[in-house]
Amino acid sequence: MFEARNLSLSVGTKQLLSDTSFRIGDKDRVALVGLNGTGKTTLLRLISGTSKDTGLITDGQFLKSAETTIGYLPQEISFDDDLEKTALQYALQANVRLFELSEKITKMEHELALPDQDYESEAYHQLIERFSDAMHEFEHLGGYTMQSDAEKVLAGLGFSEIDFHKKVKAFSGGWQMRLHITKLLLQNPTLLLLDEPTNHLDIDSLRWLENYLLNYEHSYIIVSHDRFFLDKLTTKTLEIAFERIHEYKGNYSYYEKEKAERYELLMGKYENDLKKMEELKAFVDRFRYKATKARQAQSRLRQMEKMEKNLQSPEEDLSRISFKFPKASPSGREVMRLEEIKKAYLLPDGATKQVLNGINLEVMRGDRIAIVGSNGAGKSTFCKILAGEIDFEGKLSMGHNVTMNYFAQHQTEYLAQEKSIYMEMMDSAPSSEAQKKVRDILGCFLFSGDTVNKKIRVLSGGEKSRVALAKILLQASNLLIMDEPTNHLDMRSKEMLIDSLEYYDGTLLIVSHDRYFLDSLVNKVVEIKNGMLQLHLGTYAEYLEKAEKAIEAERQQEIAARQKNHNTPSKTTEKEQEQAKQNAASRKNKRRIDEIEQKINRLERQKEAMETLMATEDFYKKSQEETAKTLDSYHALCNELNVLFTEWEKGA
C-alpha cells in the first residue's frame, strides 16, 4: 500500500536517516518509536506531504497505490480559516465532496424557490438538472447519514450536544485538537498518521479512541509516548535509531524485549569475532616467518583483515541514567487532612461553576496517590488547593514536619528567563553532590552538549517544561505533588523519572493521563467526578479493571431490566400496561410519520422540478440517452413517492 525505498533525510547539518527502507501493508497497525530528535515527526510530515521545512533534504522515493489516501494528525494545528464555524460544521467538512454538495443543494433550493423565476428559461431547466444530479450524488455518497456519523464521533471524543453548536474559537487548544481528530476519523483515510494523539484526551475519550482504532478498517502509524496505548493498538513497531529504520513484528513491549535480545546476540557475535581475531593474530605472529607455516600464516592474515574490515560493534542507545531524590527528614504519620473542601469559579456570564463540592480525604505518610477524572473535573484545581496556590472553602490541615514540592502545568513561569539551562539547574541544586548530577539529569531530559547553554527565554514550551521538571529532581521534600509531569517526555525520560520516583521515600500525589506511568508508581487512586471524590485502594490497573467491570455490570443490569420488563407482568394494571404500550407505539408511529413527511416534501420538490423540465419543448430535443435517463429517474421517483404515500396513509 505504501513503501519508502532507500530514504535519506537530513535537516540542516543533522543526518536523520541514511539509505533506509520500510513498507506499510493493508491494515497494518504500526508504532513509530525512537528518541526525541531522531526524526519521527519529520518523517510523518514527509509522508503526509505537509512538510514546510525549507532546510529538509531528502533522497529516495515513496511509492503508494492509487487507492491510498493519507490523513495526518500533527501535534499542532491552525484553525484560522475555521474559527467562526461551529464544531459540527467543522466536522462535516471531513468529506469535502459531501460538504460541497450540501452547500450547493442548499443554494439551489433557495434559487428554485425564488418567486420571480422564469420557468420556461433554459437557465431554469439547467438549474433543475444540476439540482437533481446533486441530490442523486449526495444520497449515493451517504449524505443523509453524514451528520449522525459526525455527531457520534464528536460525542465519543467528549463533546456534548450543546458543544456541537459552539464556534471553534470558543474551544481551548486541547478541544480544538479533538475537533481535528474528529474530522480526520470521519475522512477514513487508508493510511492514518497520528502524532501524539493522546496528549489532549481524558480517560473516557482515550478509551473511546482506542476502541475506534481497534476496529479501524485501514492502516495507521502512531507516534506516542504512551506505551499502554501502543501496546493495546499496534502489532508492528518501526524504530528510528542510528539513522536507520528497524522493524519489529510486535507491539512496544515485544519491541523492547526483542531489541534487547537482538543486542545480546550481536554483542555475542562481536565478542566471538574479537576472540577469533586474537587467535588468528597470535597464529600469524608466531608462524609468519617459518617457511613451513608461511602459507597458512598468510591465509590467516587475509582472513583476519577481512574480519577486521567487517567488524562492527553493536550500536546501543544511551544507557539509562538513574537518579535518586535528595533525602528529606520524614513527615508525621498523617501528611494532610481535607474536610469539606469546596471550590467554585465565577464564569464570564456571571454564573457560578461548582468544581469541588465537599471533598474529604486523609493522606498518610508513604501514600502514592493517582488523581484521575475527565478533563475539567477539577484535578488541577485540587492540586492547587493542596499546594496552597488558590483560596477555597473548608479546612485543610498539614501534618507534622511536612515539606512540599509542587510541579504544576504552569511551572515554567518561575524559570529565570535570562539564565542558561545549566545555570538555572546549578543554582537550584541544594548541595555540591546534587550539582555533580546536573549534567546527567539534563541528559535524561534531552539536554546535552551545547544545548545546556541555551537561554531559558529561547526555549519552546515543551523544553521549558522539561527544565522545570528536572529542577524538581534536585529538591529535597517529603511530599511531592505533580500535575501532568510526563506531557513533554519521551519513553527514556519517563523511565528515568519512574526509577527516581520508585526510590522516593516521601508521599506522592500525581495527576497524569499516562496509564503505564501511574500503574508503575501508585497504590491508591482518587477519582474526581461531579465535584465529589471517591477513593480506590490498589494499583491503577486494578482501578481500571474495577471501572470496566462496573461499566459492564451496569450494562448487564440495564439488559436484565429490559428483559424483565418484557417478560414479567408489572404491578400496574393490565389497562395501564396496555395504555403504556399504546403511548410508546404512538410516539414511534409519530416519529416515523414525521420522517416520511419530510422525505415526501423533498421528493415532491424534485418531482415538480423535473415535470417543469419535461414540459418544455427543448427537453425532447436532447439526445435519446439524456431523455431516457431523466425519464427513468422521474419514474423511479414517482414509484418511491407512491410507496411513501401508502405507508403514510396507513400510519395516519
Side-chain angles (χ1 to χ4, degrees), residues 42-93:
T42 304
L43 180 59
L44 291 190
R45 285 177 183 161
L46 201 61
I47 294 171
S48 69
T50 60
S51 179
K52 296 178 182 177
D53 193 335
T54 54
L56 193 65
I57 302 171
T58 61
D59 192 20
Q61 59 182 152
F62 288 144
L63 305 172
K64 64 177 183 177
S65 62
E67 298 80 21
T68 300
T69 56
I70 297 175
Y72 173 47
L73 175 74
Q75 290 190 42
E76 296 179 359
I77 189 166
S78 170
F79 283 81
D80 292 344
D81 298 332
D82 298 296
L83 291 173
E84 293 300 324
K85 291 184 173 70
T86 66
L88 185 57
Q89 285 172 335
Y90 180 79
L92 290 174
Q93 292 178 129

Side-chain angles (χ1 to χ4, degrees), residues 21-23 28 236-239 245-250 254-255 258 262:
S21 303
F22 65 92
R23 183 180 181 279
D28 269 357
K236 177 176 171 180
T237 301
L238 297 178
E239 181 201 29
I245 292 179
H246 309 272
E247 181 177 330
Y248 297 81
K249 298 186 183 300
Y254 173 89
Y255 145 75
E258 178 71 12
R262 287 186 191 184

Side-chain angles (χ1 to χ4, degrees), residues 562-576:
R562 285 198 298 270
Q563 290 175 343
K564 184 178 179 181
N565 291 336
H566 179 73
N567 298 325
T568 307
S570 68
K571 294 180 181 179
T572 58
T573 65
E574 289 183 9
K575 184 177 180 180
E576 288 173 331

Side-chain angles (χ1 to χ4, degrees), residues 492-503:
R492 178 171 170 267
S493 302
K494 281 185 190 177
E495 292 290 352
M496 188 278 298
L497 184 57
I498 288 171
D499 287 347
S500 300
L501 290 172
E502 281 180 342
Y503 286 104

